[in-house]
Amino acid sequence: MITFPKADVIPFGEHGDKLGMTRYEILQMMHNNNGYFGDAMELFLTMLFGYIVAMYLAAPKLSRTQYTIANTVFLVPMANHVLFMYRAVTESSQWEIWNGRYGPEVASFFYENFPLWLNAVNFYLQFFILIGLPLLAVWFGWRIRKNPPQDRLNLP
């Protein structure tokens, strides 16, 4: 007869047992939300650089009203997109809570692998990317509109 060693049973987090899901399904949902965030970040950068190219090519030819409409059409979806990314991360965290891994064991694992200075830099870099880059792109479009590029490069 084969005997197996006793396995440790990790309890579900608060209300995790009421979901009617296995631990694998909970981890799969967390993984899906992390994937949604990655896809959203790719689309965020695509929209950002698409706007920059469009402003470089078209901003000098736009009236003030057209420029305002273009910025609104850019900034409103970008704000919505940033909120979607925030929601994906918080939902992923909630699945992790229901899985039962939450609190000191997750934080200790994170802080052991990332020094405090890197964690702080990471936070400010993410804030700049999600909030600062769209605003910087609008400033770039404004500068291009006010000072259109020359027809040729002024190289020595």
Side-chain angles (χ1 to χ4, degrees), residues 22-52:
T22 65
R23 189 172 304 281
Y24 173 78
E25 291 169 329
I26 291 174
L27 290 173
Q28 189 65 36
M29 291 301 293
M30 185 183 72
H31 177 72
N32 288 346
N33 278 297
N34 289 339
Y36 296 153
F37 178 81
D39 293 343
M41 193 64 192
E42 289 176 12
L43 186 57
F44 175 86
L45 293 173
T46 302
M47 290 189 314
L48 178 71
F49 287 107
Y51 172 83
I52 290 171

Side-chain angles (χ1 to χ4, degrees), residues 84-105:
F84 168 78
M85 289 191 290
Y86 175 75
R87 181 177 147 217
V89 169
T90 54
E91 284 181 5
S92 177
S93 300
Q94 184 60 53
W95 286 110
E96 186 68 18
I97 291 168
W98 284 331
N99 180 39
R101 278 188 49 204
Y102 180 71
E105 61 273 3

